[in-house]
């Protein structure tokens, strides 16, 4: 049997007709399949590969850690230098109130843990999220997912969940003294890149402060430079009580985290003890890779050029069939007349060597979230192929 047949028969599928591209190599902003076809990667592992595939310094850090230890025990009594060094670098580059890192194995688990922490810390039960929000697919994260189509098949879900409209000032009145936390994406990704407007995010933080609810900002997709600043919340003049991270955090390896004040996270240490634990969160190899990736992100001035690359994409993605391009940094949604047309365009692009897809809550929009290291020449080449496909 071929690898493709083995894949279809023995690997769990998430759609009736997976792409089934057999990728054998990825480097920088490109991938190659088993037939030698080259693809410009406009997905970046869904915002995972912010510094590109297989950056040499990340590979070097992984190799160095492999010579020491892989897994010993993530949480407990052991001090592990990859964890502590990465936590120090993260908190050095965050507001002083976000000074304690709790590692998880994924962004979804960071969401789950933050929901638990908010309940434990406030003694309240209500959790508020927003329509068209995405925070993961496990039961708790699914409960706050902002789209009934994705939730309905798996009910019953968590009780005491309320969904408000993103960017609605009126809906903020629903945040009360019963609310444990409000969870929002700083910039909504799967909704098709929806940005907070008219100081709405500031108003949200003020309402949380007024009612004693914790503000949880999800930067699992938009953090670590994706939107043109290291943290997207810096662009809106707010500071969350809890910050959720994942995807690019591990430099290509699986890693998530939630970051808060130490006093807040210490609520997990007693009554009950071990309030949140996991087996692989903060795995030393993943932390070593993530630490190296963040050092690259900061030292090579990669974020400095995000805005310039965004503007280049916007200048080149002009066509009668494109209805709108919504963007913030290198997170872009290219909107077509319908989901069907978008699917046709995406299929043609993949056949031409451009790897992209669509958004969960905006199926009429094509995803453009390449590695932040994508070159000017690669942007021009990708956009030319996109425009040529639309002309055809």
């Amino acid at each position: 049997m071929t690898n493709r047949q083995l894949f279809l028969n023995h690997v769990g599928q998430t759609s009736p007709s997976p792409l089934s591209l057999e990728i054998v190599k990825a480097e920088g902003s490109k991938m190659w399949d088993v037939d030698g076809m080259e693809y410009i990667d406009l997905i970046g592992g869904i915002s995972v590969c912010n510094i590109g595939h297989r950056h040499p310094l990340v590979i070097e850090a992984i190799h160095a850690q492999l010579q020491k230890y892989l897994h010993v025990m993530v949480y407990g009594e052991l001090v592990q230098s990859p964890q502590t060094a990465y936590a120090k670098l993260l908190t050095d580059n965050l507001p002083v109130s976000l000074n304690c890192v709790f590692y998880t194995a994924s962004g979804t688990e960071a969401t789950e843990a933050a929901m638990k922490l908010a309940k434990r810390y406030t003694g309240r039960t209500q959790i508020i999220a927003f329509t068209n929000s995405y925070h993961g697919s496990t039961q708790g994260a699914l409960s706050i997912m902002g789209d009934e189509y994705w939730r309905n098949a798996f009910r019953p879900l968590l009780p005491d969940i309320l969904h408000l409209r993103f960017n609605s000032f009126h809906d903020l009145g629903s945040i009360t003294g019963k609310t444990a936390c409000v969870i929002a994406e700083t910039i909504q990704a799967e909704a098709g890149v929806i940005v907070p407007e008219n100081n709405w995010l500031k108003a949200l933080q003020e309402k949380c402060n007024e009612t004693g609810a914790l503000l949880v900002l999800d930067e699992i997709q938009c953090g670590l430079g994706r939107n043109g600043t290291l943290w997207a919340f810096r662009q809106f003049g707010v500071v969350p009580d809890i910050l959720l991270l994942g995807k690019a955090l591990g430099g290509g390896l699986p890693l998530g985290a939630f970051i808060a004040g130490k006093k807040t996270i210490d609520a997990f240490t007693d009554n009950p003890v071990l309030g949140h634990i996991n087996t692989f969160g903060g795995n030393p190899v993943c932390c070593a890779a993530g630490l190296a990736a963040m050092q690259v992100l900061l030292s090579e001035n990669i974020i400095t050029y995000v805005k310039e690359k965004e503007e280049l994409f916007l200048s080149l993605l002009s066509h009668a069939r494109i209805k709108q391009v919504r963007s913030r940094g290198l997170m872009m949604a290219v909107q077509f007349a319908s989901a069907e047309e978008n699917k046709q365009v995406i299929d043609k692009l993949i056949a031409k060597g451009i790897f992209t897809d669509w958004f969960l809550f905006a199926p009429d929009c094509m995803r453009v979230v390449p590695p932040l290291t994508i070159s000017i020449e690669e942007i021009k080449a990708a956009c030319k192929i996109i425009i040529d496909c639309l002309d055809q």
Side-chain angles (χ1 to χ4, degrees):
M1 297 181 74
T2 66
N3 275 345
R4 185 178 186 278
Q5 290 170 318
L6 291 169
F7 166 76
L8 293 172
N9 288 348
H10 300 294
V11 177
Q13 303 299 316
T14 55
S15 73
S17 52
L19 288 174
S20 302
L21 297 177
E22 188 174 347
I23 300 301
V24 296
K25 182 182 177 183
E27 196 89 35
S29 297
K30 291 183 177 178
M31 308 186 305
W32 290 264
D33 69 17
V34 69
D35 299 316
M37 178 76 172
E38 180 182 277
Y39 301 86
I40 297 176
D41 184 6
L42 295 187
I43 296 178
I46 311 291
S47 301
V48 167
C49 305
N50 280 15
I51 62 164
H53 295 280
R54 299 185 72 253
H55 192 286
L57 293 181
V58 173
I59 300 301
E60 181 181 316
I62 291 170
H63 283 165
Q65 184 58 38
L66 292 180
Q67 306 307 312
K68 299 173 183 176
Y69 54 90
L70 301 182
H71 176 86
V72 282
M73 182 173 70
V74 176
Y75 281 107
E77 306 300 325
L78 306 183
V79 178
Q80 299 181 49
S81 57
Q83 284 188 354
T84 55
Y86 199 8
K88 181 66 165 58
L89 182 60
L90 286 165
T91 55
D92 281 350
N93 286 277
L94 281 163
V96 292
S97 58
L98 297 171
N99 57 23
C100 188
V101 179
F102 196 116
Y103 293 108
T104 62
S106 68
T108 298
E109 191 199 335
T111 299
E112 296 279 349
M115 294 167 72
K116 289 172 59 179
L117 181 60
K119 289 181 176 181
R120 176 70 185 86
Y121 186 76
T122 64
R124 305 173 184 179
T125 58
Q126 184 188 60
I127 294 176
I128 290 178
F130 294 91
T131 55
N132 292 333
S133 61
Y134 181 82
H135 304 284
S137 293
T138 50
Q139 292 268 10
L142 183 62
S143 299
I144 60 171
M145 184 186 291
D147 190 294
E148 183 59 24
Y149 168 80
W150 304 93
R151 294 192 304 257
N152 188 52
F154 304 101
R155 290 192 177 278
L157 297 169
L158 290 184
D160 216 0
I161 303 294
L162 178 64
H163 286 90
L164 308 181
R165 292 170 295 176
F166 197 80
N167 276 328
S168 169
F169 286 88
H170 176 270
D171 285 9
L172 298 183
S174 297
I175 303 169
T176 70
K178 298 179 180 179
T179 308
C181 69
V182 180
I183 301 181
E185 294 167 273
T186 309
I187 295 173
Q188 287 195 316
E190 296 304 322
V193 189
I194 305 299
V195 177
E197 300 172 352
N198 303 319
N199 286 320
W200 177 80
L201 209 54
K202 275 190 174 181
L204 171 60
Q205 180 164 52
E206 288 168 3
K207 188 64 176 179
C208 288
N209 291 341
E210 174 190 321
T211 59
L214 298 183
L215 175 60
V216 182
L217 289 184
D218 176 346
E219 298 211 358
I220 294 167
Q221 285 202 52
C222 66
L224 293 161
R226 173 61 50 187
N227 297 122
T229 51
L230 185 59
W231 316 112
F233 66 79
R234 289 294 203 187
Q235 300 180 26
F236 303 100
V238 300
V239 176
D241 297 297
I242 303 175
L243 178 66
L244 307 183
L245 298 177
K247 295 194 180 294
L249 185 68
L253 295 186
L255 186 65
F258 58 98
I259 303 178
K262 190 173 188 309
K263 179 182 176 183
T264 306
I265 289 183
D266 278 351
F268 274 154
T269 63
D270 69 331
N271 195 27
V273 67
L274 306 178
H276 189 77
I277 54 175
N278 58 35
T279 300
F280 291 110
N283 171 273
V285 180
C286 297
C287 283
L291 172 62
M294 186 164 179
Q295 289 170 335
V296 168
L297 193 66
L298 296 173
S299 65
E300 296 187 5
N301 295 319
I302 291 168
I303 301 172
T304 304
Y305 300 101
V306 166
K307 184 65 177 176
E308 175 188 336
K309 293 175 181 180
E310 175 193 11
E311 290 173 352
L312 180 59
F313 267 113
L314 292 175
S315 70
L316 296 175
L317 290 176
S318 177
H319 194 279
R321 291 178 66 182
I322 295 175
K323 302 305 177 187
Q324 184 184 16
V325 180
R326 293 190 297 274
S327 69
R328 180 59 68 102
L330 286 177
M331 179 187 284
M332 316 182 79
V334 182
Q335 186 174 24
F336 296 98
S338 66
E340 292 73 23
E341 182 177 7
N342 187 37
K343 178 66 164 59
Q344 291 173 358
V345 172
I346 289 170
D347 288 346
K348 287 180 182 291
L349 288 175
I350 291 174
K352 296 284 188 180
I354 301 295
F355 188 52
T356 183
D357 70 346
W358 47 282
F359 292 92
L360 287 181
F361 311 133
D364 57 343
C365 293
M366 181 175 73
R367 187 189 306 267
V368 178
V369 287
L372 306 185
T373 52
I374 188 170
S375 69
I376 298 299
E377 292 72 23
E378 288 166 337
I379 293 172
K380 290 178 178 177
C383 290
K384 183 179 188 307
I385 294 171
I386 292 170
I387 298 302
D388 287 347
C389 282
L390 295 179
D391 285 340
Q392 294 167 15

